[in-house]
Amino acid sequence: MLLSDLLRQSLRNIASHKRRNLLSAFGVTWGVASILLLAGWGMGVQHYMRQGMESFGKDIILVFPGHTSKGIGGYRAGRMILLYPEDVEAIRAYSSSAKTVVPVDEFRLTVSKGNISEDRDIRGVAPDAKTIRNLTPERGRFFTREDMDNRRRVCVIGPNVRDEFFKHHEDPLGSTIKIGGITFTIIGILPEKQQMVTIGRNDNSLIFVPFTTGRRLFARRRPLFCIMVRSFRPDQYEQTVSEIRRALATKHNFAADDEEAVWIIPLTRYTRQVNTFSAAVGIFVTGVGILTLAIGSTGVTNMMLVSVSERIGEIGIRRAAGASRSEIRQQFLIETLLVTAVAGAIGFALGMMLLWLFTKLPIPDYIPIPIVSTKVALLAGIVMVIAGLIAGSVPARRASTIAPVDAIKGNLRTWTQKVGAKRSSLVLPGMLGEIISQAMDDIRAARLRAGLTGFGVFWGIAAVGLLVGWGTGMRDQMVARIDQLGGRRTVIYPRRIESRTIGVKREQFLHFTDQDVEDLKDNAWFIEYISPEASPGFAVIEHGSESRALHTLGVSPEAQIIRNFSIAQGRFLNHGDIAEKRKVCVLGASAKTKLFGQRDAVGEMIRIRGVPFLVVGVMAAKGEQTSIETSLDDEKVLVPFTTATILTGRRYPDRLVLHPRTDIPYDEVETRVKQIILKNHNLEGQEAVGMYSALEARQEISKIMDGLTAFLGGVGVITLLVGAIGVANIMFVSVAQRTREIGIRRAVGAKRNHILSQFLFEAMLICLVAGILGILFAMGIASLLGAIELPGLFAPPKLDGSVLLIIFIAIAGAGTISGLFPARKAAHVNVTDSLRYE
C-alpha cells in the first residue's frame, strides 16, 4: 500500500471518532505546551540568575581589610591589616594571573542640588571599573584615563540618584550636583540593574567619581574600601587568590596562610554555585514537563488500543485480502503519529502564546520570566516525536500480531489478558454495595485499560505534589535562612539631623536615649522585645597565647530572642549583668574555637582591649549564613550593653534592635516607631531615623515564592486536568461499548441514578487509586531528594499538610470531572435503542 493511501485511510479513521481522538490528543497538546512553559521557565531562571550575578561584574575577586589571626616576626595576632593604593601595585607586580586590579574608595557624603539634599554612598574607581564592574552608562560616558590624570570633578550616577535629584523632564547629562559641598559634572547615567550581588548599596543608588579625584578631595591617607581583581581566565581564580594573599603578606608582614588577615572573596566560586542551582531547577522542571508529555502520549496509546479492539474485523479482512503485518503496523503507527503531530503543533502554538502572554503581564522584575530558546523548541519537538513513536508502537505491534482467522472471528482472547467470567468475591450488601461491586468488577475486567487511563491521573497528582511541594520547600528554606539571624529583627539607626535652613544639613546625628527605649517599651504595644546595641568594633581579644581581633557587640538579654541566639554551654547575658555593668561575655561558636580550641570556655577569663572578662556562655553554631551584618554570628563576642558603652566611651547606643509582633503590617510598625522617637527629639517631619527589617525580606520572599508556587501549581493542576480528561474519554468509550448492557440493566429495573452512580464510581475509583499512588510517588521522590546532597540553595519538595490537602481536593475534583459527564450520558441512554445496539 502506498504512503498516500495509508495517510488517506488514517485521516478517515481519525475523522470517524472526532471527539475520542480530540480528547486523547489533548494530553499531547498540553504535554508539549508544558515543556515549553516549564523548560522555558527553567531557562528564564538561569538567565535571570546569571544576569543578576554578572550585572555586578563577571569573575571578580574582592579583597577587603582584615585582622591577623597569627603572630609573626614580632607582631602579635589581632593586628588590623588595612589596604592602601600602593597595595594595588604590589598585587600587580607579584601576581602573574591577575589581569586587572582596581582600587575602590567609598565615602558617605551629602549630595545636594537646589533645595534637595540627601546622604549618598560615593565610590571612587578607576576607568577599568567600567569593564570589571559592568558599569557601562546607558547615556553619556564613563571615566577616561585623562579624567583620572587631571583629577576632573566629574561623576556617573545610578538611575535612583537621577530620579531623586532631577525631575522627569530634566536631562541630567551636563548638569552639576554638589558632593560634599564640591561641584561635580554628571557625564554618565547607568542603566537600571537587577543585582544578586551587592557591596553595601545597589549600583542603582550609587555615585561614581574618578579614583584620583575622590582620593584627593575626600580620602587623603584614608585606607581603601576594597580592591577588585580579575584573572586572565576564570579557572585561575584559586591561583590568583593565593598570589594576592602572598603579595599582601609580604608587604604587611603577616603569615601567607593567614586567611583572616585579608578577606578575599572570589565571586567566580559563587557564580558556579548559582549556575549549578539554576541548572538543577531547569532539569527538575523540564523533567516534569517531559514526563507530562509522556503521560499524554499514554492516553493516545490507550485510545489506539481501544481502536484496535473495535477494528478487529477490519484487520482480519485486510489480512485475509493479503495485507502484510508491516502494512497493518504502519497503518496504526501513522494514525498515532498524525494525532500526535497535530496535537503537538497545537500545543506548540498554545505554549508560545502563553509565553508571549507572560511577557505582556505586569510581572514584578524579581520574578523570572519564561523564555524560549532554540534548545527548548528543539527539545519539545524531539520529545514529541519520540512520544508519538512510543505511543503508536504498542497498538501497531499488537494489531499486526493478530492472526487472520482470529481477527475474522473477532476472537481477542489470543492477545488480550484473560479475565475470569465469574464475579468478584467482594459482594457488598445493599444497592450501594451492588453498584460498588459491579464497578470494581468492570475495572478488573479491563485492567490494562484502567491502568493506562489512571496513569494520567497518577502523574497529574504527582506533578501537583512535586511542583507545589518544591515551591513550598524553596520558600521555607529561604525563610529559614532569614529566621537564622532573627526572623523579625528590626534595626533602628540614627541619621543626620537637618538644620532649620531647608536643604542644608549639619554634621550632626541623632543620638538615641534611655527615654527612647523606655517609650518604645511602654507605649509601643506592637513591640515584644527591644535591645539597645553598642559596637566596640573588632576588638583585640586575648586568651593565653592566643590573640584575635573579633567583632564585639554590646547587647541586652532580649537580643537572645531578637537575634535568634541559642546557648550550647553556660548561660546568656541577664539583666543583672546589665544593671551592674559586669565584665562578662558570651562567645560565638567560631570565636570560642579560635580562642580555646576544643577546651571548655565557660568559667575562663579572656581580655578584651586589655580588660579581663569572664566567659559565662557559648552560643550554638549557626553555620553558613546568606547575610552578614559586620561579622558572622558565630564569630561574635557578646558583652552587656552597659559594659560596651564603657569600652566605646559613648553613653548612647549605636542602634536599637526590635522584635515586633505580627498583629499589624510592618509598614505601620515603621511609621509608629519613627513617630515615637522623632517626637521625643522634637524632630517631627524629619528623616532623622532609619529602619530596616527582616520582616520586609520575609514578606518579599514569601510573595515571590507564593507567586512561583502558584505558577508551578497551575501547571500541575492542568496536567491533572489532562489526566482527568483521559479518564472521561475512556469512560465515554466504555459507555458506548456497554450500551447494550445498560439497556438490559434498565429493562430489569435499574434506575437512572443507579447507572449514573456506577459509572461515576468507576471513574472516581480509578482517580482515587491512581491519586494515592501519585501521592506515594511524589513523597518517595521528595524523600529521595531530601536524602541526597543537592546543589546549594536547592530545596527538596516539601509535602506538608497544606500541600496534601490541595492534592486530595484535586483528586476529588478530578474524579468528579472525569466521571460525571460519561455517567450522565450512560444514565440518559434510551432503553429501546440500547437493546437493539450491536
Side-chain angles (χ1 to χ4, degrees), residues 531-532 554-558 573-582 584 639-643:
S531 172
V555 299
S556 70
E558 289 78 7
L573 304 175
N574 58 39
H575 287 285
D577 300 328
I578 301 292
E580 299 178 14
K581 301 180 182 179
R582 295 171 183 164
V584 295
V639 299
F641 163 73
T642 50
T643 310

Side-chain angles (χ1 to χ4, degrees), residues 790-813:
L790 297 173
L793 304 177
F794 190 91
K798 181 180 180 181
L799 275 68
D800 56 12
S802 61
V803 175
L804 291 176
L805 178 62
I806 292 172
I807 291 175
F808 277 109
I809 292 174
I811 292 175

Side-chain angles (χ1 to χ4, degrees), residues 471-492:
T472 302
M474 289 294 296
R475 181 198 63 200
D476 290 352
Q477 183 192 68
M478 292 182 178
V479 169
R481 288 180 179 271
I482 296 174
D483 290 345
Q484 182 187 38
L485 306 180
R488 302 188 206 170
R489 181 173 51 90
T490 301
V491 179
I492 313 174

